[in-house]
Amino acid sequence: MCHQLRHALTIDTEDWPALMCSYLGRRTRVSGQFARSVHRALDLLDEYQTRATFFVLASHAAEEPEPIREIADRGHEIASHGWTHAKLKAFTPQGFRDDIERSIETLEEITGERVRGYRAPFFSLMPEQCWAYEILLDCGVEYDSSLTTLLWQHQSIDLPDRPFIVALPDGRKIVEVPALARKVGPITGRLIGGRTLRVLPQSVTRSHMRECEADRLPAMLYVHTYEVTPDRLTQYLPRDLSLGGRLKLLVSAKAFEVGMGRMHRALCDLLDGYEWAPMGEVVHELSDDDLPVVRITSQGEVQVAADEREPVAARSAEERNDDAAHSG
């Protein structure tokens, strides 16, 4: 008899107003939205008796450590979302190492628990940043969730459409749990979570979940704390911004709020309909013998064996897209 398939539930934990201000070049403390959204997310997970991995932006946790302690105290996993919320292309290898070490040290000091996972902001790990895997392993990270497969395909690298092992030249390995993506009409959405839950038809998510369940492969759901039980982001904007800065943030807030009302219902349906667990536990349950292997050469090249790109019985990308677009 097959065991109950558990899917990975992940929540990026950051303060939206503070991030938006940083993009304008303005340093501001985290807002009241940070702690409030964490508490509301925890209460929702308690309601469905579900545990998750919280990928925490450590610079925000350093300012507001109590919500992070509560996440750990209530039985959830704490993983790193880095210290600086920037795409990996903005880092040198040494800069990335400093960022990871600082984030892990901060989170472990807050919770007293070891950090085993990492997620890059914006799922921004690309082939040219494969040096990041060596640094993650040096820092004790056991699994990663930092890339979107569709972006790698644009560079003619067809990664496995599922979790896989990254094998480094020195023989070390790390598990990668990618954010899968599909193009449905003019819109591309990562599966499953974020904009997909807010904007695309729920049939896209249901199709993906059916596919994962049929292939006995864990899905990965990601949302942000400010999406889980949303309220109006505009109420948290700093009052002392310039008129131009405030207008920019108002426009961004309105864009982020599109579909927020749908997000909560879609998320509740997923929590109620499937078995979820922290990503660290889901990764631990995967057998190395069943995971495809992607090799990084000493020259930094990515090698994917042709027979390791898709699991057995998986359908073509075109078939999956058609099913997502037309299924009810």
Side-chain angles (χ1 to χ4, degrees):
M1 183 176 179
C2 294
H3 69 278
Q4 177 70 43
L5 179 63
R6 301 205 297 171
H7 304 286
L9 175 57
T10 69
I11 302 177
D12 290 0
T13 307
E14 57 205 31
D15 183 56
W16 184 88
L19 284 182
M20 294 299 106
C21 287
S22 71
Y23 299 151
L24 294 176
R26 179 185 176 87
R27 177 74 171 85
T28 184
R29 288 191 58 84
V30 298
S31 72
Q33 183 266 332
F34 183 70
R36 184 179 180 185
S37 64
V38 168
H39 292 147
R40 292 167 71 177
L42 290 172
D43 289 344
L44 180 66
L45 296 177
D46 281 351
E47 179 182 345
Y48 287 92
Q49 299 182 337
T50 298
R51 292 179 301 117
T53 294
F54 286 72
F55 285 97
V56 179
L57 190 63
S59 56
H60 293 176
E63 291 188 30
E64 294 285 347
E66 285 305 319
I68 309 309
R69 291 194 186 98
E70 184 173 355
I71 292 171
D73 290 345
R74 289 167 74 166
H76 304 279
E77 180 185 22
I78 299 292
S80 172
H81 199 32
W83 179 271
T84 305
H85 199 273
K87 293 183 178 181
L88 286 189
K89 67 180 182 180
F91 291 99
T92 64
Q94 185 58 50
F96 180 68
R97 185 182 296 274
D98 293 343
D99 187 274
I100 292 299
E101 289 178 346
R102 188 179 185 186
S103 72
I104 290 176
E105 180 181 353
T106 299
L107 296 175
E108 291 184 344
E109 183 176 337
I110 290 172
T111 67
E113 298 180 3
R114 182 182 167 194
V115 171
R116 291 181 167 84
Y118 172 74
R119 170 172 290 160
F122 307 106
F123 293 99
S124 57
L125 195 154
M126 294 295 291
E128 55 267 28
Q129 284 93 43
C130 279
W131 42 260
Y133 285 122
E134 180 179 349
I135 295 170
L136 290 173
L137 286 167
D138 289 346
C139 294
V141 173
E142 298 175 357
Y143 70 84
D144 180 65
S145 181
S146 291
L147 63 88
T148 300
T149 52
L150 194 62
L151 294 180
W152 286 54
Q153 291 170 12
H154 292 164
Q155 297 197 21
S156 301
I157 300 176
D158 192 11
L159 293 173
D161 211 21
R162 60 186 296 192
F164 57 86
I165 291 173
V166 177
L168 301 183
D170 61 7
R172 292 186 296 169
K173 299 177 180 178
I174 187 171
V175 175
E176 175 66 44
V177 184
L180 307 184
R182 299 285 185 269
K183 189 172 180 61
V184 180
I187 299 176
T188 297
R190 298 188 187 105
L191 297 176
I192 50 180
R195 182 174 59 178
T196 302
L197 287 183
R198 296 202 314 265
V199 178
L200 295 181
Q202 289 192 32
S203 59
V204 175
T205 299
R206 288 196 293 266
S207 173
H208 180 62
M209 293 304 300
R210 286 198 301 270
E211 179 186 325
C212 291
E213 295 265 311
D215 293 333
R216 301 295 299 169
L217 292 172
M220 188 272 284
L221 168 62
Y222 88 96
V223 293
H224 299 83
T225 44
Y226 53 79
E227 294 175 310
V228 172
T229 51
D231 51 14
R232 291 294 180 184
L233 297 174
T234 51
Q235 69 180 294
Y236 298 107
L237 298 181
R239 300 296 178 185
D240 58 347
L241 291 173
S242 67
L243 178 60
R246 188 163 182 81
L247 285 175
K248 287 181 180 179
L249 291 190
L250 282 171
V251 170
S252 296
K254 291 298 183 182
F256 270 89
E257 289 173 357
V258 171
M260 282 288 200
R262 297 175 55 192
M263 164 70 84
H264 181 67
R265 184 67 264 160
L267 181 58
C268 289
D269 289 345
L270 286 168
L271 295 179
D272 187 50
Y274 300 92
E275 188 76 16
W276 300 93
M279 182 174 282
E281 294 183 12
V282 172
V283 167
H284 182 73
E285 292 171 357
L286 296 171
S287 169
D288 286 357
D289 294 336
D290 295 332
L291 291 178
V293 177
V294 173
R295 301 188 183 281
I296 310 298
T297 71
S298 57
Q299 291 76 36
E301 297 175 344
V302 181
Q303 296 180 343
V304 185
D307 60 351
E308 291 182 333
R309 293 173 184 164
E310 289 281 353
V312 176
R315 295 162 292 166
S316 69
E318 291 79 9
E319 290 174 319
R320 288 193 298 268
N321 288 344
D322 288 343
D323 189 25
H326 297 107
S327 63

